[in-house]
Amino acid sequence: MVATTYSSLKISNLRLLFNKSIDLCNNFTSLIKNITISTVNIDKTNALRIIERSNIKYELYRYDDSVREGRKVAEILNEDENQVFKTLVTVSNDKKHFVFVIPVNAELDLKKAAKVSGVKSIEMIHQKELLPLTGYIHGGCSPIGMKKKFPTFIEESAQLFDHIFISAGKVGLQLKISPFDLKDYLECEFVSVVR
């Protein structure tokens, strides 16, 4: 009788442990179901082709391309919003274009941007101008591989991290890259341009 009770207790404990393991696996799966780290079976964007030719170390992250808002991308990547960057394209009063790479949770200070660019004033380009000017669409604009090389500035906070995330040139793709490698490749500066 004692042996039977011990066996049934042991089996019920194993079932409980098994069920808990299944729950943990399901929770983990739901956390990572929206993100994939991959370099295969992806249509190469201009940014990816360039970065691969440049031998810059990177990781590629794929996520649901219906997500367009930067903070939501950071949440899906399970990364700090300060570490996920967006690429903004601007135009000056004398019609010169400048690119700013800033955290998704920050706002570009146009006065600071004009000052570091050496122009009187600066404003964001209209969204409809983005594709013909850069070759990229809103939500998928990368500072790497634009149709033309524009003077580019990276928000100085990027230096606080070993890596940051930037668009890989397509909505649903992010590059994890060293901010210093990015700066060197773009031949740009770290500056303070956010509010």
Side-chain angles (χ1 to χ4, degrees), residues 50-165:
I50 289 168
I51 203 165
E52 285 178 356
R53 279 196 313 261
S54 302
N55 293 319
I56 296 172
K57 184 179 174 188
Y58 74 95
E59 290 179 24
L60 183 65
Y61 288 71
R62 183 189 297 183
Y63 61 93
D64 180 359
D65 63 8
S66 69
V67 177
R68 302 274 173 137
E69 203 272 314
R71 289 179 175 196
K72 185 68 176 168
V73 172
E75 181 183 318
I76 289 170
L77 295 174
N78 198 29
E79 294 292 338
D80 182 348
E81 290 178 358
N82 295 302
Q83 213 167 340
V84 179
F85 283 62
K86 58 188 173 185
T87 303
L88 304 176
V89 183
T90 62
V91 62
S92 68
N93 58 300
D94 55 356
K95 306 300 178 207
K96 293 179 183 169
H97 291 94
F98 299 91
V99 175
F100 296 90
V101 183
I102 68 171
V104 296
N105 63 351
E107 189 175 327
L108 183 64
D109 184 316
L110 296 176
K111 288 183 181 182
K112 288 181 179 180
K115 185 175 181 179
V116 301
S117 302
V119 296
K120 183 178 177 183
S121 65
I122 208 164
E123 64 184 35
M124 297 296 299
I125 65 167
H126 295 287
Q127 190 171 326
K128 67 182 180 186
E129 297 172 50
L130 188 63
L131 180 60
L133 184 66
T134 67
Y136 295 124
I137 63 168
H138 177 71
C141 187
S142 178
I144 300 170
M146 291 187 179
K147 287 183 174 181
K148 182 179 173 190
K149 186 170 182 172
F150 299 110
T152 302
F153 303 90
I154 303 173
E155 172 57 36
E156 65 184 1
S157 64
Q159 299 172 91
L160 300 173
F161 305 103
D162 292 333
H163 65 269
I164 60 171
F165 291 84

Side-chain angles (χ1 to χ4, degrees), residues 21-35:
S21 298
I22 295 291
D23 289 342
L24 284 173
C25 288
N26 288 337
N27 288 340
F28 180 73
T29 301
S30 69
L31 283 173
I32 63 166
K33 73 178 180 181
N34 288 324
I35 186 167

